[in-house]
Amino acid sequence: MKHLSSYLIVLVSLGAFAQEPLTLNDCYNLVDTNYPLARQSELYEKQNAIDIEAIETDRLPELNLNAQATYQSEVIEIPLPDTGIVPPNKDQYRATLTVNQLIYGGGLINTSIEAETASLKTKQKQLEVNLYQLKKQVNQLYFSILLSQENRALLEAKREQLNAKLKEVQSGIKNGTILPASDKVLEVELLKINQGFIELDLNRASLLQTLASLIGKEITSTTLLQNPEITTDLNTELYRPELELFQLKKAQLETSDQLLSRQNLPKIYGFADGGYGNPGLNPLENAFQTFYVVGLKLNWNVFDWNATKKQRESLSINKDIIDTETNTFNLNTNIELQQQQSEIEKISGFIASDIEIIKLRKEVLNAADSQLRNGVITSSAYITELTNLYTDENTLITHRIQLELAKANYNIIQGQK
């Protein structure tokens, strides 16, 4: 029963200090959803819905209420005597309600809605591009934290090795096989290692705080970043959202061109005027009366001084500008890919030589370890070899993290996660 209680206490302790995992893809997804700029997508959709509703109102009847009171210096008079026709008053009053209903608009409303939809897609894709560009920043922070984690683990291994060696040296001093004060050198080195832990922890906390702000998620000190296994497809084919953005911009220009072509098409309206005034439609009846007029009317801008033609020419130039932007983007991105590929190959070569160096350093340290136990060398000489091994192992870890960072950046440049 006593052993069972101890076992449960251990389990509870482990649960309290369990480390929460966080992956690189988690960070990518969190940036897309939590970064303040991401909220614009929803705002764009709301704005688009309102704009389309406003355009749709052109299908509804248009109501105009007009009222006027006038006084004129002269009125119509019939010069024939004894006709009994009384001339209208010089003060006249009229109130009318006019209803206009679009019957045929040349497809302008539907094309306007298509233009708004094309604009929405372009804005949302531009937003995606802006968020995508944050992924390199995420990479830099994520792998810097990973490097800090790996350095801490390596420093912990060095401390354990030094503690074990300190016990051996203290035992050797007691037995007279090792020079006195040799343990002091090891104790100094352990104090330096503790300083290294403080520096690493503070640096990691700062990096975690920056990453947390970027992804919009709290990251605690117990969060453990997973070391990703990144694969790269080393080719020049691009999958960047910018390429889709260029195509959407051209599609938006096409819609704008269609909109221009429909603006000058004939439009047919039905209308009705109803009113009350003095005089009414009969100017010879000097009294207040109601009246109405119904009919059809045609609106057609026959000649606009080539304004539409010039606007379409401007749109055509904009298409050419987008083509040059696309070509420039492809060129610059391919150059960046080539540079990143060279970086991957260079670091891979470094890692191969790091492994050989560490293998030799371990052999040297084993020899120094044996010499220290036999009193042939001092603790300072041993620490020098241990530090050399630690430095080279740290270099290997740094190169491995740099390699994964280079691969992750390559995928971001190419357009793949």
Side-chain angles (χ1 to χ4, degrees):
M1 194 67 182
K2 182 179 179 181
H3 292 299
L4 179 60
S5 300
S6 302
Y7 180 71
L8 290 175
I9 291 172
V10 171
L11 283 181
V12 171
S13 301
L14 288 174
F17 294 99
Q19 292 179 316
E20 180 187 355
L22 181 68
T23 68
L24 183 59
N25 279 333
D26 288 340
C27 294
Y28 289 155
N29 295 330
L30 288 167
V31 164
D32 288 338
T33 55
N34 294 344
Y35 196 71
L37 193 64
R39 187 172 175 269
Q40 282 190 0
S41 180
E42 181 183 349
L43 296 175
Y44 285 148
E45 289 179 358
K46 289 181 179 180
Q47 184 183 48
N48 178 257
I50 293 171
D51 291 340
I52 289 178
E53 285 180 5
I55 294 171
E56 288 281 6
T57 58
D58 289 341
R59 303 184 193 274
L60 302 176
E62 179 185 337
L63 302 176
N64 291 306
L65 178 64
N66 296 295
Q68 65 178 32
T70 62
Y71 181 87
Q72 54 197 64
S73 60
E74 292 188 28
V75 293
I76 296 175
E77 293 186 11
I78 305 299
L80 299 176
D82 302 325
T83 57
I85 299 175
V86 180
N89 297 331
K90 289 185 178 180
D91 58 320
Q92 299 184 1
Y93 307 91
R94 171 171 292 201
T96 61
L97 178 64
T98 302
V99 180
N100 290 303
Q101 174 63 57
L102 178 66
I103 297 174
Y104 174 75
L108 181 62
I109 294 177
N110 289 336
T111 307
S112 297
I113 292 174
E114 290 173 4
E116 287 295 331
T117 303
S119 176
L120 172 64
K121 291 180 179 179
T122 302
K123 289 178 181 178
Q124 289 181 325
K125 185 57 67 173
Q126 179 65 64
L127 176 61
E128 182 183 338
V129 167
N130 293 340
L131 291 173
Y132 189 85
Q133 291 171 351
L134 293 171
K135 287 181 170 56
K136 268 195 175 182
Q137 191 175 348
V138 170
N139 284 348
Q140 192 62 48
L141 287 168
Y142 190 91
F143 285 100
S144 294
I145 296 169
L146 273 184
L147 181 59
S148 177
Q149 288 180 181
E150 296 293 335
N151 284 340
R152 198 182 198 287
L154 186 61
L155 197 59
E156 182 67 39
K158 182 182 179 183
R159 181 168 66 179
E160 289 179 4
Q161 188 168 356
L162 275 176
N163 278 325
K165 186 55 59 181
L166 178 61
K167 291 179 181 178
E168 289 182 12
V169 168
Q170 288 173 339
S171 175
I173 293 173
K174 187 180 294 185
N175 297 327
T177 58
I178 297 178
L179 293 175
S182 294
D183 56 339
K184 304 302 179 186
V185 177
L186 296 176
E187 289 174 358
V188 168
E189 189 65 21
L190 284 168
L191 290 174
K192 289 182 180 180
I193 288 177
N194 290 333
Q195 289 178 339
F197 278 121
I198 295 172
E199 183 179 1
L200 281 173
D201 290 342
L202 289 175
N203 183 52
R204 182 175 184 270
S206 176
L207 291 169
L208 284 173
Q209 184 178 4
T210 305
L211 181 61
S213 299
L214 191 62
I215 66 177
K217 174 182 169 62
E218 183 181 359
I219 303 177
T220 65
S221 58
T222 60
T223 302
L224 180 66
L225 272 63
Q226 302 294 307
N227 204 336
E229 294 182 3
I230 298 175
T231 58
T232 54
D233 184 12
L234 300 177
N235 62 63
T236 57
E237 188 172 359
L238 302 179
Y239 309 95
R240 291 283 291 272
E242 287 89 341
L243 298 176
E244 297 177 33
L245 177 61
F246 293 138
Q247 294 302 316
L248 287 173
K249 284 182 176 180
K250 291 183 74 173
Q252 187 178 359
L253 291 176
E254 291 286 350
T255 309
S256 298
D257 186 77
Q258 294 174 16
L259 191 60
L260 284 173
S261 66
R262 280 163 170 61
Q263 283 179 345
N264 291 334
L265 292 177
K267 298 175 183 60
I268 299 175
Y269 295 87
F271 70 91
D273 285 342
Y276 181 73
N278 180 8
L281 294 181
N282 184 357
L284 300 180
E285 185 175 347
N286 192 11
F288 280 92
Q289 54 187 300
T290 58
F291 57 88
Y292 71 90
V293 177
V294 296
L296 295 173
K297 61 182 176 182
L298 174 70
N299 242 350
W300 190 2
N301 187 4
V302 179
F303 184 68
D304 65 352
W305 302 97
N306 288 328
T308 300
K309 179 182 178 182
K310 292 174 182 176
Q311 287 174 332
R312 296 179 80 173
E313 288 175 354
S314 177
L315 290 177
S316 178
I317 293 174
N318 277 336
K319 290 178 186 177
D320 293 338
I321 291 173
I322 292 173
D323 286 336
T324 60
E325 289 176 347
T326 304
N327 293 334
T328 302
F329 176 81
N330 284 329
L331 176 62
N332 291 338
T333 306
N334 279 318
I335 291 174
E336 198 174 356
L337 275 179
Q338 292 169 5
Q339 292 173 341
Q340 202 66 32
Q341 183 174 350
S342 298
E343 184 74 7
I344 290 172
E345 293 171 354
K346 179 184 73 175
I347 297 173
S348 297
F350 286 162
I351 290 174
S353 62
D354 287 339
I355 293 172
E356 291 298 320
I357 290 171
I358 290 171
K359 182 180 177 181
L360 295 173
R361 286 290 187 196
K362 285 181 177 178
E363 292 178 2
V364 173
L365 182 62
N366 288 336
D369 181 53
S370 175
Q371 291 171 343
L372 177 62
R373 283 198 301 267
N374 295 320
V376 177
I377 62 172
T378 63
S379 298
S380 297
Y382 173 81
I383 288 175
T384 298
E385 297 303 331
L386 179 63
T387 302
N388 288 338
L389 175 61
Y390 170 78
T391 301
D392 290 332
E393 286 180 336
N394 189 63
T395 300
L396 174 60
I397 287 174
T398 301
H399 284 155
R400 281 175 171 165
I401 296 294
Q402 287 176 345
L403 178 61
E404 296 306 308
L405 172 60
K407 289 179 179 180
N409 284 338
Y410 185 94
N411 289 343
I412 295 301
I413 295 168
Q414 189 180 41
Q416 296 176 330
K417 291 183 181 180

PDB file of all heavy atoms in Angstrom, residues 96-117:
ATOM      1  N   THR A  96     -45.858  66.224 -57.015  1.00  0.00           N
ATOM      2  CA  THR A  96     -45.886  65.012 -57.834  1.00  0.00           C
ATOM      3  C   THR A  96     -45.095  63.892 -57.172  1.00  0.00           C
ATOM      4  O   THR A  96     -44.127  64.146 -56.441  1.00  0.00           O
ATOM      5  CB  THR A  96     -45.295  65.267 -59.236  1.00  0.00           C
ATOM      6  OG1 THR A  96     -43.931  65.681 -59.098  1.00  0.00           O
ATOM      7  CG2 THR A  96     -46.088  66.318 -59.986  1.00  0.00           C
ATOM      8  N   LEU A  97     -45.535  62.677 -57.431  1.00  0.00           N
ATOM      9  CA  LEU A  97     -44.799  61.480 -57.029  1.00  0.00           C
ATOM     10  C   LEU A  97     -44.457  60.713 -58.305  1.00  0.00           C
ATOM     11  O   LEU A  97     -45.354  60.312 -59.053  1.00  0.00           O
ATOM     12  CB  LEU A  97     -45.641  60.603 -56.101  1.00  0.00           C
ATOM     13  CG  LEU A  97     -44.978  59.295 -55.649  1.00  0.00           C
ATOM     14  CD1 LEU A  97     -43.749  59.584 -54.805  1.00  0.00           C
ATOM     15  CD2 LEU A  97     -45.961  58.417 -54.886  1.00  0.00           C
ATOM     16  N   THR A  98     -43.135  60.547 -58.550  1.00  0.00           N
ATOM     17  CA  THR A  98     -42.669  59.894 -59.783  1.00  0.00           C
ATOM     18  C   THR A  98     -42.100  58.528 -59.432  1.00  0.00           C
ATOM     19  O   THR A  98     -41.292  58.400 -58.502  1.00  0.00           O
ATOM     20  CB  THR A  98     -41.591  60.736 -60.487  1.00  0.00           C
ATOM     21  OG1 THR A  98     -42.124  62.026 -60.775  1.00  0.00           O
ATOM     22  CG2 THR A  98     -41.144  60.074 -61.781  1.00  0.00           C
ATOM     23  N   VAL A  99     -42.516  57.503 -60.163  1.00  0.00           N
ATOM     24  CA  VAL A  99     -42.014  56.150 -59.998  1.00  0.00           C
ATOM     25  C   VAL A  99     -41.296  55.745 -61.271  1.00  0.00           C
ATOM     26  O   VAL A  99     -41.869  55.791 -62.362  1.00  0.00           O
ATOM     27  CB  VAL A  99     -43.155  55.153 -59.686  1.00  0.00           C
ATOM     28  CG1 VAL A  99     -42.587  53.747 -59.508  1.00  0.00           C
ATOM     29  CG2 VAL A  99     -43.932  55.582 -58.452  1.00  0.00           C
ATOM     30  N   ASN A 100     -39.996  55.360 -61.144  1.00  0.00           N
ATOM     31  CA  ASN A 100     -39.219  54.859 -62.275  1.00  0.00           C
ATOM     32  C   ASN A 100     -38.846  53.410 -62.010  1.00  0.00           C
ATOM     33  O   ASN A 100     -38.345  53.077 -60.928  1.00  0.00           O
ATOM     34  CB  ASN A 100     -37.939  55.679 -62.468  1.00  0.00           C
ATOM     35  CG  ASN A 100     -38.221  57.075 -62.976  1.00  0.00           C
ATOM     36  OD1 ASN A 100     -38.836  57.253 -64.021  1.00  0.00           O
ATOM     37  ND2 ASN A 100     -37.791  58.086 -62.223  1.00  0.00           N
ATOM     38  N   GLN A 101     -39.092  52.556 -62.964  1.00  0.00           N
ATOM     39  CA  GLN A 101     -38.767  51.135 -62.832  1.00  0.00           C
ATOM     40  C   GLN A 101     -37.882  50.713 -63.997  1.00  0.00           C
ATOM     41  O   GLN A 101     -38.257  50.850 -65.156  1.00  0.00           O
ATOM     42  CB  GLN A 101     -40.041  50.290 -62.818  1.00  0.00           C
ATOM     43  CG  GLN A 101     -39.784  48.792 -62.819  1.00  0.00           C
ATOM     44  CD  GLN A 101     -39.058  48.317 -61.578  1.00  0.00           C
ATOM     45  OE1 GLN A 101     -39.535  48.526 -60.469  1.00  0.00           O
ATOM     46  NE2 GLN A 101     -37.905  47.695 -61.736  1.00  0.00           N
ATOM     47  N   LEU A 102     -36.670  50.206 -63.662  1.00  0.00           N
ATOM     48  CA  LEU A 102     -35.767  49.719 -64.706  1.00  0.00           C
ATOM     49  C   LEU A 102     -36.344  48.451 -65.317  1.00  0.00           C
ATOM     50  O   LEU A 102     -36.656  47.495 -64.620  1.00  0.00           O
ATOM     51  CB  LEU A 102     -34.383  49.434 -64.116  1.00  0.00           C
ATOM     52  CG  LEU A 102     -33.330  48.874 -65.068  1.00  0.00           C
ATOM     53  CD1 LEU A 102     -32.963  49.902 -66.129  1.00  0.00           C
ATOM     54  CD2 LEU A 102     -32.081  48.433 -64.303  1.00  0.00           C
ATOM     55  N   ILE A 103     -36.478  48.460 -66.642  1.00  0.00           N
ATOM     56  CA  ILE A 103     -36.980  47.289 -67.364  1.00  0.00           C
ATOM     57  C   ILE A 103     -35.831  46.542 -68.025  1.00  0.00           C
ATOM     58  O   ILE A 103     -35.742  45.320 -67.963  1.00  0.00           O
ATOM     59  CB  ILE A 103     -38.034  47.706 -68.411  1.00  0.00           C
ATOM     60  CG1 ILE A 103     -39.244  48.337 -67.702  1.00  0.00           C
ATOM     61  CG2 ILE A 103     -38.461  46.510 -69.262  1.00  0.00           C
ATOM     62  CD1 ILE A 103     -40.273  48.904 -68.655  1.00  0.00           C
ATOM     63  N   TYR A 104     -34.924  47.278 -68.631  1.00  0.00           N
ATOM     64  CA  TYR A 104     -33.759  46.667 -69.282  1.00  0.00           C
ATOM     65  C   TYR A 104     -32.545  47.545 -69.000  1.00  0.00           C
ATOM     66  O   TYR A 104     -32.551  48.743 -69.316  1.00  0.00           O
ATOM     67  CB  TYR A 104     -33.996  46.528 -70.790  1.00  0.00           C
ATOM     68  CG  TYR A 104     -32.774  46.037 -71.532  1.00  0.00           C
ATOM     69  CD1 TYR A 104     -32.378  44.703 -71.474  1.00  0.00           C
ATOM     70  CD2 TYR A 104     -31.996  46.924 -72.280  1.00  0.00           C
ATOM     71  CE1 TYR A 104     -31.241  44.268 -72.141  1.00  0.00           C
ATOM     72  CE2 TYR A 104     -30.868  46.488 -72.958  1.00  0.00           C
ATOM     73  CZ  TYR A 104     -30.491  45.161 -72.883  1.00  0.00           C
ATOM     74  OH  TYR A 104     -29.372  44.735 -73.538  1.00  0.00           O
ATOM     75  N   GLY A 105     -31.503  46.933 -68.385  1.00  0.00           N
ATOM     76  CA  GLY A 105     -30.308  47.703 -68.044  1.00  0.00           C
ATOM     77  C   GLY A 105     -29.047  47.250 -68.737  1.00  0.00           C
ATOM     78  O   GLY A 105     -27.950  47.651 -68.349  1.00  0.00           O
ATOM     79  N   GLY A 106     -29.176  46.367 -69.737  1.00  0.00           N
ATOM     80  CA  GLY A 106     -27.993  45.924 -70.471  1.00  0.00           C
ATOM     81  C   GLY A 106     -27.071  45.023 -69.656  1.00  0.00           C
ATOM     82  O   GLY A 106     -25.883  44.899 -69.968  1.00  0.00           O
ATOM     83  N   GLY A 107     -27.583  44.400 -68.595  1.00  0.00           N
ATOM     84  CA  GLY A 107     -26.757  43.505 -67.766  1.00  0.00           C
ATOM     85  C   GLY A 107     -25.815  44.228 -66.834  1.00  0.00           C
ATOM     86  O   GLY A 107     -24.905  43.623 -66.266  1.00  0.00           O
ATOM     87  N   LEU A 108     -26.046  45.540 -66.633  1.00  0.00           N
ATOM     88  CA  LEU A 108     -25.130  46.337 -65.812  1.00  0.00           C
ATOM     89  C   LEU A 108     -25.150  45.893 -64.354  1.00  0.00           C
ATOM     90  O   LEU A 108     -24.104  45.828 -63.704  1.00  0.00           O
ATOM     91  CB  LEU A 108     -25.503  47.819 -65.915  1.00  0.00           C
ATOM     92  CG  LEU A 108     -24.617  48.802 -65.135  1.00  0.00           C
ATOM     93  CD1 LEU A 108     -23.186  48.739 -65.653  1.00  0.00           C
ATOM     94  CD2 LEU A 108     -25.170  50.217 -65.229  1.00  0.00           C
ATOM     95  N   ILE A 109     -26.329  45.560 -63.844  1.00  0.00           N
ATOM     96  CA  ILE A 109     -26.428  45.175 -62.427  1.00  0.00           C
ATOM     97  C   ILE A 109     -25.672  43.872 -62.168  1.00  0.00           C
ATOM     98  O   ILE A 109     -24.881  43.764 -61.222  1.00  0.00           O
ATOM     99  CB  ILE A 109     -27.907  45.044 -62.012  1.00  0.00           C
ATOM    100  CG1 ILE A 109     -28.594  46.415 -62.080  1.00  0.00           C
ATOM    101  CG2 ILE A 109     -28.015  44.463 -60.605  1.00  0.00           C
ATOM    102  CD1 ILE A 109     -30.068  46.368 -61.766  1.00  0.00           C
ATOM    103  N   ASN A 110     -25.911  42.852 -63.008  1.00  0.00           N
ATOM    104  CA  ASN A 110     -25.232  41.564 -62.817  1.00  0.00           C
ATOM    105  C   ASN A 110     -23.720  41.708 -62.936  1.00  0.00           C
ATOM    106  O   ASN A 110     -22.959  41.116 -62.165  1.00  0.00           O
ATOM    107  CB  ASN A 110     -25.740  40.544 -63.837  1.00  0.00           C
ATOM    108  CG  ASN A 110     -27.170  40.100 -63.552  1.00  0.00           C
ATOM    109  OD1 ASN A 110     -27.624  40.176 -62.416  1.00  0.00           O
ATOM    110  ND2 ASN A 110     -27.877  39.662 -64.570  1.00  0.00           N
ATOM    111  N   THR A 111     -23.283  42.525 -63.903  1.00  0.00           N
ATOM    112  CA  THR A 111     -21.841  42.732 -64.080  1.00  0.00           C
ATOM    113  C   THR A 111     -21.253  43.493 -62.898  1.00  0.00           C
ATOM    114  O   THR A 111     -20.117  43.220 -62.475  1.00  0.00           O
ATOM    115  CB  THR A 111     -21.571  43.491 -65.382  1.00  0.00           C
ATOM    116  OG1 THR A 111     -22.205  42.817 -66.480  1.00  0.00           O
ATOM    117  CG2 THR A 111     -20.083  43.584 -65.662  1.00  0.00           C
ATOM    118  N   SER A 112     -22.014  44.427 -62.336  1.00  0.00           N
ATOM    119  CA  SER A 112     -21.539  45.159 -61.153  1.00  0.00           C
ATOM    120  C   SER A 112     -21.363  44.214 -59.967  1.00  0.00           C
ATOM    121  O   SER A 112     -20.405  44.330 -59.197  1.00  0.00           O
ATOM    122  CB  SER A 112     -22.526  46.276 -60.793  1.00  0.00           C
ATOM    123  OG  SER A 112     -22.621  47.226 -61.826  1.00  0.00           O
ATOM    124  N   ILE A 113     -22.301  43.260 -59.821  1.00  0.00           N
ATOM    125  CA  ILE A 113     -22.189  42.272 -58.743  1.00  0.00           C
ATOM    126  C   ILE A 113     -20.969  41.385 -58.968  1.00  0.00           C
ATOM    127  O   ILE A 113     -20.217  41.070 -58.031  1.00  0.00           O
ATOM    128  CB  ILE A 113     -23.477  41.428 -58.667  1.00  0.00           C
ATOM    129  CG1 ILE A 113     -24.641  42.300 -58.200  1.00  0.00           C
ATOM    130  CG2 ILE A 113     -23.294  40.237 -57.713  1.00  0.00           C
ATOM    131  CD1 ILE A 113     -25.979  41.606 -58.231  1.00  0.00           C
ATOM    132  N   GLU A 114     -20.733  40.981 -60.224  1.00  0.00           N
ATOM    133  CA  GLU A 114     -19.551  40.174 -60.536  1.00  0.00           C
ATOM    134  C   GLU A 114     -18.268  40.945 -60.217  1.00  0.00           C
ATOM    135  O   GLU A 114     -17.283  40.362 -59.735  1.00  0.00           O
ATOM    136  CB  GLU A 114     -19.572  39.776 -62.014  1.00  0.00           C
ATOM    137  CG  GLU A 114     -20.663  38.760 -62.357  1.00  0.00           C
ATOM    138  CD  GLU A 114     -20.766  38.528 -63.865  1.00  0.00           C
ATOM    139  OE1 GLU A 114     -19.940  39.093 -64.611  1.00  0.00           O
ATOM    140  OE2 GLU A 114     -21.674  37.784 -64.287  1.00  0.00           O
ATOM    141  N   ALA A 115     -18.278  42.262 -60.481  1.00  0.00           N
ATOM    142  CA  ALA A 115     -17.099  43.089 -60.182  1.00  0.00           C
ATOM    143  C   ALA A 115     -16.843  43.151 -58.688  1.00  0.00           C
ATOM    144  O   ALA A 115     -15.687  43.091 -58.232  1.00  0.00           O
ATOM    145  CB  ALA A 115     -17.297  44.502 -60.746  1.00  0.00           C
ATOM    146  N   GLU A 116     -17.916  43.251 -57.904  1.00  0.00           N
ATOM    147  CA  GLU A 116     -17.754  43.270 -56.447  1.00  0.00           C
ATOM    148  C   GLU A 116     -17.215  41.930 -55.941  1.00  0.00           C
ATOM    149  O   GLU A 116     -16.374  41.881 -55.046  1.00  0.00           O
ATOM    150  CB  GLU A 116     -19.092  43.575 -55.771  1.00  0.00           C
ATOM    151  CG  GLU A 116     -19.540  45.011 -55.898  1.00  0.00           C
ATOM    152  CD  GLU A 116     -18.623  45.983 -55.188  1.00  0.00           C
ATOM    153  OE1 GLU A 116     -17.991  45.586 -54.182  1.00  0.00           O
ATOM    154  OE2 GLU A 116     -18.506  47.131 -55.649  1.00  0.00           O
ATOM    155  N   THR A 117     -17.708  40.825 -56.516  1.00  0.00           N
ATOM    156  CA  THR A 117     -17.238  39.500 -56.125  1.00  0.00           C
ATOM    157  C   THR A 117     -15.764  39.311 -56.472  1.00  0.00           C
ATOM    158  O   THR A 117     -14.981  38.760 -55.687  1.00  0.00           O
ATOM    159  CB  THR A 117     -18.078  38.409 -56.806  1.00  0.00           C
ATOM    160  OG1 THR A 117     -19.461  38.592 -56.475  1.00  0.00           O
ATOM    161  CG2 THR A 117     -17.650  37.020 -56.361  1.00  0.00           C
TER     162      THR A 117
END
